[in-house]
């Protein structure tokens, strides 16, 4: 895995071993950030972070901050290691997405960009939770990028910007 663009372009990073995580590939990551546009100065929330690929890419492209949410302990260790190796700063939170979203909304924390990449087979399980909790943590004009299997069309109570297929993946961008 490597960073596609920004200050750490070309730098490699690790992915957790095993089948628990499915890191977003370089091509899909590049396409997602082309759809989003500049992220300089953005507060980013990377949900179901896995290897941290999407959040690391955002930080390399100039995001001001990134909170990585991942419940798998091994994956959180890999994200922390990747941050240190790349010389980037981010907060790694080893909790469930639902717990973090509830906590962030109660503290009034808002994000400019939310990246959500749950395990493909779990999207329908997480969709209602995300639909109920995501809008509360979004800043004005925020974007939400959802990665799902290509045959899944996510629905959230936000404005649909675009949805595109890339091989076995679909990237859907919503705005507030």
């Amino acid at each position: 895995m490597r960073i596609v663009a920004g200050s750490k372009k070309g730098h490699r990073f690790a992915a957790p071993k095993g089948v628990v995580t499915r890191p977003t590939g370089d091509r899909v990551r590049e396409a997602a950030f082309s759809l989003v546009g500049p992220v300089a100065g953005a507060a980013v929330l990377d949900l179901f972070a896995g290897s941290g690929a999407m959040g690391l890419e955002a930080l390399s492209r100039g995001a001001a901050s990134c909170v990585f949410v991942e419940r798998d302990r091994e994956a959180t260790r890999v994200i922390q290691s990747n941050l240190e190796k790349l010389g980037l700063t981010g907060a790694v939170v080893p909790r469930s997405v639902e717990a973090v979203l509830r906590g962030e909304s109660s503290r009034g924390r808002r994000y400019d960009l939310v990246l959500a990449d749950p395990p493909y087979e779990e999207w329908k399980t997480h969709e209602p939770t995300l639909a109920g909790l995501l809008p509360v943590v979004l800043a004005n004009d925020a974007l939400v990028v959802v990665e799902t299997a290509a045959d899944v069309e996510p629905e959230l109570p936000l404005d649909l910007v675009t949805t595109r297929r890339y091989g076995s993946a679909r990237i859907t961008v919503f705005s507030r």
Side-chain angles (χ1 to χ4, degrees), residues 7 38 61 84 105 123:
S7 65
R61 292 171 182 247
E84 291 166 8
S105 66
W123 170 254

Side-chain angles (χ1 to χ4, degrees), residues 66-81:
C66 185
V67 175
F68 297 85
V69 180
E70 175 56 57
R71 67 181 176 214
D72 181 78
R73 297 288 181 182
E74 176 59 24
T76 60
R77 284 191 284 277
V78 170
I79 295 167
Q80 190 61 53
S81 175

Side-chain angles (χ1 to χ4, degrees), residues 22-39:
R22 172 201 29 79
T24 301
D26 297 356
R27 184 173 147 254
V28 174
R29 227 173 327 112
E30 186 169 19
F33 280 93
S34 291
L35 295 172
V36 168
V39 297

